[in-house]
Amino acid sequence: MLSILIFIALMLTSGYPLLLRLWPESDKLSRWPLAFLLGSSLITLELFFWIFLFRWPSNYWLLLFFITQIIVLWWWFDCWHFNWWVSIQQLSTSLKSWRRGNILVYFLGLLLLAQIVIGASVAWMKPVVHYDSLTMWTLKPALLLADPAGFFDGSSPHFQGLAGQPNYPWQIPLSVWLQAKINGELDPAYLNYIYYAYFLSALILIYSALKNQGRLKALIITNLLATTPLFFYHSWNAYADLPLAVYALAGLIAWLAYQRGKISPWPALIFWGLAFWVKNEGALFLAVALIILAVQLLQNGQWRKKWQYALMALPVLVWLIWLKLTGLGLAQTSGSLGWHPEVLMAFFSAFWSFTSWNILWYVAPVFLLLYYKEIWRNQAWRLAWLWWVGVLLSFLVVYLFTPAYLYAVEFTAIQRNIIILVPVLFLLIGLEEEKKDE
Amino acid sequence: MFQATIWPEFFYSINNFTAGMSALPWLGATFILWIIVAKSFCYVQNIKFKTISFFWLPLLAIWLAGFALADMTAYAKELKANQQLLVYNSLERQDYRVCEVIFGGPEKAMEACPLGVLFEKIKDNVGPEDKIYIAYPPEIFNFYFRLRLLPYYQLTNKPEEAQAILFFMPNQQLDCSGETKEKLICRNNDGKIWGTFDLVANFGDAAGLLIRQE
């Protein structure tokens, strides 16, 4: 268990100084998950350069590099004023404030705690056993650990993890690899906790984003998210869809802050821009955001001054060039572009699969009918919904016109794509009193 | 190639986990009906539609009813299985959970999971210098064996040089047959014998571990 704690501490301490520089106004509670996201992206991108480009060995120099980096980042961004004692006192004050809660608040707090404990126990008791995890997310780092020479040898069956989707990005496999390195071996009992950390991040983020609307409401919505069946299932099944969902959520929280005029669009663009490194479809987050931003800036006549936001697309382009140069390609299936209308029925029915969503997809249309006027009047809220709808339609377009339609009609991926949009949807629904802030 | 044959097994396990969700359309309809009634009531009485009282708390109640109907049963089963598995280490638990997929449920898996025996036999018969060939097609078990054995053994893609073969019958990749199921002779395309093997462990009815005869 110590290895997973060291792993998370490494991500947090690497990401925290970057977060303070990028988004100093961020909510104190949300800093933990946001720092974890930034740290995960940074460390795994560096590991990719270290292992894949430079082919350097993973020895004590790598450890020294990370420790030096943390010291330099904390010094460079002047984070040493972080006072642990004050922080602990704040936490204590915050916990004491729960004494003033009513019975419903206690009930919801206990329910959430129970769900968190059950998630942790299932993560422990169900080591890596699910299909994509066995064939890809865990197998790739296992191959890299067991046969590092064969991993870069084109004639080896282990080349680039050929067994499982070699053209998928490396944040999750390299996280697993790093955790195994810290642990000394790849122990399946600990791996699920990487994904579980993202699950906790999602809960903390949504609670902290909504807590200014009242603890009761924030707890209700956090509980709804934690008890959404397929979302909870992904807290321990070692797939990458839940981590991707957390990047979408972090990006949207920053996007709302930008649209309210509190911060620049950089934090949102960076969280959405880093999502491609979790799964290829994460690139759609940034693409949709850049289109909305471009239209907004064109309307305001600010495009010439602020064109540099488009630079966030560069890492995605670099990754695409890497896939091209290494011959790995972008597609997961062979075939050419076409029109596959049968996807529409599969796509629609995926929303109404009660095994996955409880009554969420009854609530969302009812909510839109109740509040469409308020949504339209409030620019931040409207543009956040627009982003959500844009990403949803992007998925639909990919399925309708590419060979990926197979994953939709066979129901192998479509529900997992919907998971990505669920925490964001809960946040958007939870903002129904946003107008009071205006 | 798209492996459509694997997924039904997989979704079977997910469906098991969330069995009992059929009541949820009624719960969804109840929520919609409640909103219509509450909104009409507020309109007629000319009072504000308070979201906490009229939207979030009723939603929470209906949501938790769905949660209790569907997930509580699954949680109870999970916790029971977990309690029984506490005595095992993580690799044994992993074997058991993969057996759940094979047998389609936890009860039979607990009684008859052969993976522990299989890996014990490998430990007894295969040394660190020996190589193992996995003759399963690229399905979940091929990947599982690969993942499970990679840290401890050398794997090979050439069956001729393997000391042990994880094999299932009939096998389209290898031509291995014998007068008895326990002793198999493997031949290449031109009929030349490249190995004679003993079946030392069964994995299901038609699969097992082959160890090369000295």
Side-chain angles (χ1 to χ4, degrees), chain A residues 66-343:
Chain A
F66 284 137
I67 292 170
T68 312
Q69 174 175 266
I70 290 166
I71 294 167
V72 168
L73 280 173
W74 279 63
W75 173 75
W76 188 263
F77 293 136
D78 192 25
C79 300
W80 297 110
H81 62 266
F82 184 85
N83 190 325
W84 292 99
W85 178 241
V86 171
S87 195
I88 289 166
Q89 282 180 319
Q90 282 175 344
L91 182 68
S92 166
T93 313
S94 171
L95 287 175
K96 278 178 191 164
S97 73
W98 280 72
R99 286 182 191 165
R100 296 192 295 273
N102 59 31
I103 187 107
L104 193 55
V105 165
Y106 289 140
F107 167 72
L108 288 171
L110 280 175
L111 185 66
L112 190 59
L113 190 65
Q115 191 76 344
I116 287 169
V117 170
I118 290 171
S121 73
V122 181
W124 178 255
M125 296 307 293
K126 281 208 168 181
V128 178
V129 290
H130 291 97
Y131 186 79
D132 276 18
S133 180
L134 285 177
T135 61
M136 177 169 44
W137 302 115
T138 312
L139 186 64
K140 285 163 81 171
L143 292 170
L144 187 57
L145 282 162
D147 186 15
F151 202 85
F152 298 107
D153 175 2
S155 63
S156 164
H158 297 158
F159 177 62
Q160 298 273 335
L162 272 177
Q165 318 273 28
N167 61 357
Y168 264 33
W170 279 88
Q171 175 159 331
I172 297 299
L174 284 175
S175 298
V176 172
W177 180 90
L178 182 63
Q179 200 281 330
K181 275 281 175 188
I182 294 168
N183 190 47
E185 63 173 338
L186 197 146
D187 187 332
Y190 298 120
L191 298 185
N192 283 344
Y193 286 100
I194 296 173
Y195 308 88
Y196 184 71
Y198 285 102
F199 171 71
L200 289 183
S201 299
L203 300 187
I204 296 170
L205 275 177
I206 202 147
Y207 178 80
S208 63
L210 293 169
K211 72 180 190 313
N212 64 347
Q213 296 194 26
R215 183 186 290 163
L216 178 64
K217 185 176 158 189
L219 271 173
I220 290 173
I221 296 171
T222 311
N223 268 291
L224 296 184
L225 178 62
T227 53
T228 301
L230 198 61
F231 188 77
F232 178 67
Y233 180 77
H234 276 249
S235 68
W236 47 265
N237 76 340
Y239 276 40
D241 303 277
L242 191 144
L244 191 58
V246 186
Y247 278 86
L249 181 62
L252 194 86
I253 291 169
W255 178 255
L256 283 162
Y258 161 64
Q259 292 295 348
R260 289 174 199 143
K262 292 176 181 170
I263 57 171
S264 82
W266 281 114
L269 295 180
I270 286 173
F271 282 113
W272 282 336
L274 288 171
F276 85 92
W277 189 232
V278 181
K279 276 187 97 176
N280 286 332
E281 47 262 57
L284 295 172
F285 301 169
L286 184 69
V288 173
L290 284 177
I291 291 169
I292 296 172
L293 196 59
V295 172
Q296 217 181 353
L297 292 175
L298 278 170
Q299 281 178 339
N300 299 341
Q302 293 180 309
W303 174 246
R304 283 174 189 275
K305 287 180 195 167
K306 297 189 174 172
W307 59 270
Q308 64 271 31
Y309 295 138
L311 290 175
M312 260 320 291
L314 272 180
V316 184
L317 292 176
V318 170
W319 171 244
L320 294 179
I321 291 167
W322 163 266
L323 290 179
K324 182 75 182 166
L325 288 177
T326 50
L328 297 174
L330 192 63
Q332 309 301 326
T333 48
S334 56
S336 53
L337 295 179
W339 164 244
H340 304 286
E342 63 272 32
V343 162

Side-chain angles (χ1 to χ4, degrees), chain B residues 21 24 26 47 49 51 74 95 104-105 107 118 124 130 135-136 141 145 153 160 167 199 214:
Chain B
M21 298 289 268
L24 282 172
W26 296 105
I47 56 174
F49 182 83
T51 54
D95 291 343
E107 290 82 10
L118 190 77
D124 294 342
D130 297 329
Y136 280 83
F141 304 117
F145 290 136
Y153 299 99
E160 300 84 6
F167 188 77
L199 181 74
E214 293 301 326

Side-chain angles (χ1 to χ4, degrees), chain B residues 2-62:
Chain B
F2 185 71
Q3 297 156 12
T5 53
I6 295 163
W7 290 100
E9 289 171 346
F10 223 39
F11 277 90
Y12 180 77
S13 62
I14 295 175
N15 287 338
N16 267 357
F17 180 70
T18 51
M21 298 289 268
S22 56
L24 282 172
W26 296 105
L27 294 173
T30 307
F31 178 71
I32 293 172
L33 195 63
W34 162 257
I35 292 294
I36 292 168
V37 169
K39 198 74 183 166
S40 308
F41 174 77
C42 291
Y43 181 76
V44 170
Q45 295 291 320
N46 198 23
I47 56 174
K48 191 178 180 305
F49 182 83
K50 288 181 181 171
T51 54
I52 280 286
S53 311
F54 293 124
F55 188 92
W56 290 110
L57 288 176
L59 170 59
L60 177 71
I62 295 170

